[in-house]
């Protein structure tokens, strides 16, 4: 079978190519990159680690690519992986295609570099935020610091282009948003005196009556309490952070789970941070955009900000809400690293 150096693939800035004059197969650039990685490593485990994906997922993608092309790219058994004759023929052509796609992407990013992209956030943002998007987009960080659910809504209604926020998979689907993992916090407890680790069930979580300001935290805290046996303390003074939070710790005289919201209040000398275990509560930060987003500058900024993000997560010891959009991604990454 003769194959022209043209595989139909889907990419934001890439042209379409044909494999046969009568049949078009949708092959993604991602699958081609996977093929090259396995071809260069000749080991699925090493290739999966290099690509930062789970081994089973990589194997499925290669099988899907082989099915779409109608040929075997690799001969594999339990010990060895080798390229077939077709795989050897396709490899240099695939590398050339990927180089073309990368060149197109760089050209598009050059045009987008001067286009403004508006970003909202809650309280945390990467320290190297500007550096990551340098030469990619003109990032305008919105000065209005707002709650997670509010920032997600602002992306949905077009007030900002991107937001760093905590979000559930349900929220993304309902508001037609897309989320990429940007970072995560391991939450700790604040207590009087003792600095030893504390079990999750022995902590207290604060839930505030003001749902307009604390809706996201309240959802997280209540689910954490139900899952672990932690106690719920209902308040009405916005004491999730700041001096009022420290007052609650002193009043309750028990370890109180700290929210991820940053606060400029000086740390009191009489209080300590205690690691929470069994399980460790993890709060994920998503970079949220609109599913319909098509502006090259915004898409390039998303890629630049979320590329090579690594979060330490052990599904055996860590806890995430059931509807966290990154549960499977983090679990797969952990499995790949362990393997």
């Amino acid at each position: 079978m003769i194959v022209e150096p043209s595989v139909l693939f889907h990419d934001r800035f890439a042209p379409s190519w044909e494999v046969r004059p009568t049949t078009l197969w949708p092959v993604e650039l991602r699958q081609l990159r996977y093929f090259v990685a396995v071809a260069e490593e000749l080991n699925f485990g090493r290739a999966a680690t290099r690509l930062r994906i789970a081994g089973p997922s990589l194997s499925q993608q290669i099988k899907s690519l082989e099915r779409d092309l109608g040929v075997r790219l690799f001969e594999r058994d339990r010990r060895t992986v080798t390229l077939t004759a077709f795989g050897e023929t396709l490899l240099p052509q695939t590398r050339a295609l990927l180089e073309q796609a990368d060149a197109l992407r760089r050209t598009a990013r050059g045009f987008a570099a001067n286009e403004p992209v508006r970003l909202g956030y809650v309280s945390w943002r990467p320290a190297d935020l500007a550096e990551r998007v340098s030469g990619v987009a003109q990032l305008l960080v919105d000065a209005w610091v707002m709650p997670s659910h509010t920032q997600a809504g602002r992306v949905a209604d077009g007030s900002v282009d991107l937001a760093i926020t905590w979000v559930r998979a349900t929220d993304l689907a309902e508001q037609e948003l897309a989320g990429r993992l940007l970072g995560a916090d391991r939450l700790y407890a604040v207590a009087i005196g003792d600095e030893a680790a504390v079990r999750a069930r022995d902590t207290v979580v604060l839930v505030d009556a003001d749902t307009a300001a604390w809706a996201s935290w309240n959802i997280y805290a209540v689910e954490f309490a139900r899952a672990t046996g932690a106690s719920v303390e209902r308040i009405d003074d916005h004491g999730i952070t700041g001096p009022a939070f420290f007052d609650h710790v002193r009043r309750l005289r028990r370890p109180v789970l700290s929210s991820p919201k940053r606060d400029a209040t000086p740390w009191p000398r009489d209080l300590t941070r205690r690691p929470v275990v069994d399980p460790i509560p993890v709060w994920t930060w998503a970079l949220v955009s609109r599913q319909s987003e098509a502006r090259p500058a915004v898409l390039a900024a998303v890629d630049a900000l979320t590329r090579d993000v690594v979060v330490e997560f052990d599904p055996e010891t860590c806890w995430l809400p059931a509807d966290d959009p990154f549960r499977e991604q983090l679990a797969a990454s952990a499995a790949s690293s362990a393997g």
Side-chain angles (χ1 to χ4, degrees), residues 109 112-117 130 132-140 296-302 304:
R109 285 176 176 171
N114 294 321
E115 187 178 354
V117 175
R132 292 192 196 185
V133 297
S134 177
V136 171
Q138 182 184 355
L139 198 63
L140 303 179
V298 178
L299 299 175
V302 171

Side-chain angles (χ1 to χ4, degrees), residues 70-291:
V71 296
R72 290 181 65 85
L73 299 172
F74 299 98
E75 295 292 348
R76 44 194 180 268
D77 56 35
R78 291 184 178 181
R79 294 185 177 181
T80 61
V81 177
T82 58
L83 279 165
T84 63
F86 185 88
E88 290 179 351
T89 301
L90 188 60
L91 181 58
Q93 298 177 21
T94 303
R95 285 182 174 135
L97 284 172
L98 292 175
E99 289 174 1
Q100 290 178 356
D102 289 340
L104 286 169
R105 187 177 286 111
R106 287 193 296 269
T107 300
R109 285 176 176 171
F111 289 129
N114 294 321
E115 187 178 354
V117 175
R118 301 161 299 169
L119 173 79
Y121 71 106
V122 178
S123 65
W124 174 83
R125 53 183 179 174
D128 60 347
L129 190 68
E131 180 182 340
R132 292 192 196 185
V133 297
S134 177
V136 171
Q138 182 184 355
L139 198 63
L140 303 179
V141 180
D142 195 286
W144 287 22
V145 176
M146 298 180 179
S148 285
H149 61 283
T150 302
Q151 292 290 25
R154 295 180 74 210
V155 175
D157 67 24
S159 298
V160 292
D161 302 308
L162 303 171
I164 300 172
T165 179
W166 179 84
V167 70
R168 297 173 297 174
T170 300
D171 303 322
L172 294 174
E174 289 179 349
Q175 299 186 73
E176 298 183 346
L177 298 173
R180 294 266 199 99
L181 181 64
L182 186 61
D185 286 333
R186 291 191 173 197
L187 304 187
Y188 56 85
V190 179
I192 298 173
D194 194 358
E195 296 182 354
V198 58
R199 293 175 300 182
R201 69 184 185 188
D202 296 326
T203 64
V204 178
V205 292
L206 303 180
V207 174
D208 199 278
D210 185 354
T211 56
W214 300 105
S216 297
W217 170 253
N218 286 352
I219 291 169
Y220 182 98
V222 169
E223 185 173 346
F224 176 76
R226 288 174 178 170
T228 65
S231 302
V232 174
E233 180 75 10
R234 299 191 178 276
I235 60 175
D236 59 6
D237 60 357
H238 294 262
I240 304 298
T241 61
F245 172 77
F246 297 133
D247 289 341
H248 286 303
V249 175
R250 297 184 184 99
R251 174 178 61 84
L252 294 168
R253 303 193 67 79
R254 293 179 59 192
V256 180
L257 191 68
S258 177
S259 85
K261 186 173 176 58
R262 271 60 172 180
D263 184 79
T265 305
W267 190 266
R269 293 183 178 180
D270 61 323
L271 300 181
T272 60
R273 295 178 177 87
R274 297 183 63 178
V276 179
V277 297
D278 298 331
I280 301 167
V282 175
W283 174 283
T284 56
W285 291 108
L287 182 65
V288 174
S289 61
R290 290 177 288 278
Q291 290 180 6

